[in-house]
Amino acid sequence: MAAFIQTFEGSDRLRRRAHDMIPGGAHTYAKGDDQYPVLSPGFIASGSGCHVTDVDGNTYIEYGMGNRAVGLGHAYPPVLNAVRQQLELGCNFTRPARIEVECATRFLELVPGADMVKFCKDGSDATSAAVRLARAATGRDLIARCADHPFFSTDDWFIGTTDMNAGIPQAVQALTLGFRFNDLESVRDLFTQHPGQIAAIILEPARGPEPTDAYLRQLQVLVQEQGALLILDEMITGFRWHSGGAQTLYGITPDLSCFGKALGNGFALSALAGRRDLMELGGIEQTDKPRVFLLSTTHGAETHAMAAAIATMKVYRDEPVIAYLEKQGKALKQGVDQVIDRHGLNQHVRIVGHPACLSYATLDQNLQPSQAFRTLLLQETIRRGVLAPSLVVSYTHEADDIARTVDAFDGALGVYAQALERGVHGFLVGRPSAIVFRRFNEYSRGEPRRAAKASRG
């Protein structure tokens, strides 16, 4: 796919206004300008299936899919129709709506290991509620989270473990520990170092690497032996690895699990699910233990979001969504891998992850991870009509979309190869993108922070 002339004048005007009114210029750090090349669409106007159009009229095949929240495709008709019908009836009432029971029923049918479910709006609320519930149930304060998994919550218990921990008391930071994925001994060491103090272990069931052998089952046994709880964060794996979550695929039943993202195909709905005896601690019927303020959100049960989730779950139940995502992801990886090989870039560009949730690694001349080369690859695929901060497929990515994407990577990797020989900054327009969790900003609206660099010598 040849590069074509693009203009981002509309996006640039909106960027200036956005940064004047919105800290960071966006409401999600992963969508911020610092995560993308200077030559990139700043604002999306519309989307249909796997295609999006920016405010300047440029169109793209998209692979971010709303940070993995859109599994079926943008503006997917059965979901939109269900939402429209529900909105005619109102979206938020003084008492629960009947659809809340229907949505819970559908969810528990899909996730057989859960006895009860409570819905909310985002993944952070769900995981933080699980953490609070675990602490209440065990009477312990410490939480151990997988240090290999990048994000669990916007709340202090997690953000305090990152480099972006300004404003979080040290006492709170000390309450969260880290362990390594697929490393049972690192978890065992934590229990040895903090006997009787760890309330829960929280991790994603899979991310890049798959769990080895019987890792998850062995982890669950260890956690149970130590009197702690196992929490699975299925925000990404749920509705991608299996319609019942990766826990169903791997044959494990966690004490608590958290779902979101693709649950509503982009509409805001997440879920905390788990064992009845634990979930009832946040109810109004148990009488022998202190009450847990579990989840109570004004908008958590908006009826149109639940209608979206019901329609989405129906598609996953009745159609081969999971198999399709895996098939298209494998086809995409195979095609891009062939292009990488043809350009002799096997040591510099790698396609990694589950077929339904692929990403890519970019390395420089010294085979070190490089934000500059990542930004260059993203810049060049954007120039060829592909918006791919990741390579996450949807139910609406068709064979032609995959073929056009492979063609775009072919052209982009040709530029990548030249940049390895002649220097990346001769090809990258503007500054490289940055990692989200950084203690200081290196760039301000695309320009280097010269004062900050000077202060560090």
Side-chain angles (χ1 to χ4, degrees), residues 258-288:
C258 306
F259 288 76
K261 291 193 181 286
L263 172 60
N265 196 50
F267 285 88
L269 194 71
S270 57
L272 169 63
R275 282 171 25 199
R276 182 174 302 278
D277 62 309
L278 297 173
M279 297 291 287
E280 284 184 338
L281 294 177
I284 60 174
E285 294 183 348
Q286 69 88 20
T287 58
D288 59 337

Side-chain angles (χ1 to χ4, degrees), residues 11-334:
S11 279
D12 289 340
R13 286 193 297 270
L14 281 175
R15 281 189 180 103
R16 289 190 289 272
R17 293 179 58 195
H19 281 281
D20 283 339
M21 297 182 290
I22 303 166
H27 292 91
T28 306
Y29 280 115
K31 297 181 182 182
D33 285 335
D34 61 342
Q35 301 301 293
Y36 287 84
V38 170
L39 296 182
S40 65
F43 295 84
I44 302 299
S46 64
S48 178
C50 69
H51 300 94
V52 296
T53 302
D54 69 14
V55 294
D56 291 288
N58 304 307
T59 61
Y60 307 91
I61 304 169
E62 199 227 320
Y63 286 92
M65 301 313 295
N67 294 341
R68 303 175 180 85
V70 180
L72 300 178
H74 299 297
Y76 196 70
V79 176
L80 280 189
N81 291 337
V83 170
R84 289 192 188 99
Q85 292 174 19
Q86 187 59 51
L87 282 173
E88 293 292 334
L89 305 175
C91 68
N92 206 333
F93 310 111
T94 303
R95 296 300 308 277
R98 179 172 59 185
I99 197 170
E100 297 179 41
V101 177
E102 182 183 354
C103 192
T105 300
R106 278 286 170 86
F107 180 89
L108 294 173
E109 288 173 350
L110 279 182
V111 185
D115 299 320
M116 301 183 79
V117 61
K118 194 156 189 179
F119 295 109
C120 49
K121 277 300 179 193
D122 59 47
S124 294
D125 283 349
T127 55
S128 292
V131 164
R132 182 184 301 133
L133 196 56
R135 284 171 165 159
T138 62
R140 302 173 178 182
D141 292 339
L142 299 182
I143 299 295
R145 65 97 169 177
C146 183
D148 297 313
H149 296 160
F151 187 77
F152 288 99
S153 175
T154 62
D155 293 306
D156 289 0
W157 69 268
F158 169 72
I159 295 297
T161 68
T162 74
D163 288 338
M164 206 171 171
N165 56 15
I168 301 173
Q170 183 62 44
V172 174
Q173 297 179 37
L175 293 175
T176 303
L177 313 171
F179 65 92
R180 313 306 302 190
F181 189 65
N182 276 334
D183 185 350
L184 205 62
E185 288 307 310
S186 69
V187 181
R188 187 173 284 114
D189 287 345
L190 289 181
F191 282 120
T192 300
Q193 296 164 18
H194 307 277
Q197 299 175 65
I198 299 175
I201 301 291
I202 183 169
L203 74 161
E204 297 180 62
R207 183 73 185 197
E210 292 285 297
T212 56
D213 301 326
Y215 169 71
L216 290 175
R217 295 193 193 94
Q218 293 172 356
L219 177 64
Q220 183 170 40
V221 170
L222 174 60
V223 171
Q224 290 173 340
E225 290 174 348
Q226 296 294 329
L229 301 182
L230 179 64
I231 304 171
L232 289 186
D233 180 344
E234 294 244 33
M235 293 297 155
I236 292 174
T237 54
F239 300 95
R240 285 199 175 273
W241 271 241
H242 192 284
S243 57
Q247 59 190 270
T248 304
L249 179 65
Y250 299 131
I252 184 173
T253 303
D255 298 297
L256 298 166
S257 56
C258 306
F259 288 76
K261 291 193 181 286
L263 172 60
N265 196 50
F267 285 88
L269 194 71
S270 57
L272 169 63
R275 282 171 25 199
R276 182 174 302 278
D277 62 309
L278 297 173
M279 297 291 287
E280 284 184 338
L281 294 177
I284 60 174
E285 294 183 348
Q286 69 88 20
T287 58
D288 59 337
K289 295 181 180 179
R291 297 180 66 194
V292 177
F293 194 91
L294 187 55
L295 281 166
S296 183
T297 56
T298 298
H299 303 290
E302 283 180 319
T303 58
H304 64 284
M306 292 198 164
I310 291 168
T312 298
M313 288 187 283
K314 185 177 185 298
V315 175
Y316 276 85
R317 185 195 66 190
D318 297 342
E319 300 183 32
V321 180
I322 299 297
Y324 185 87
L325 296 180
E326 185 166 348
K327 183 187 76 169
Q328 296 301 77
K330 286 181 177 178
L332 178 60
K333 183 179 188 304
Q334 181 181 34

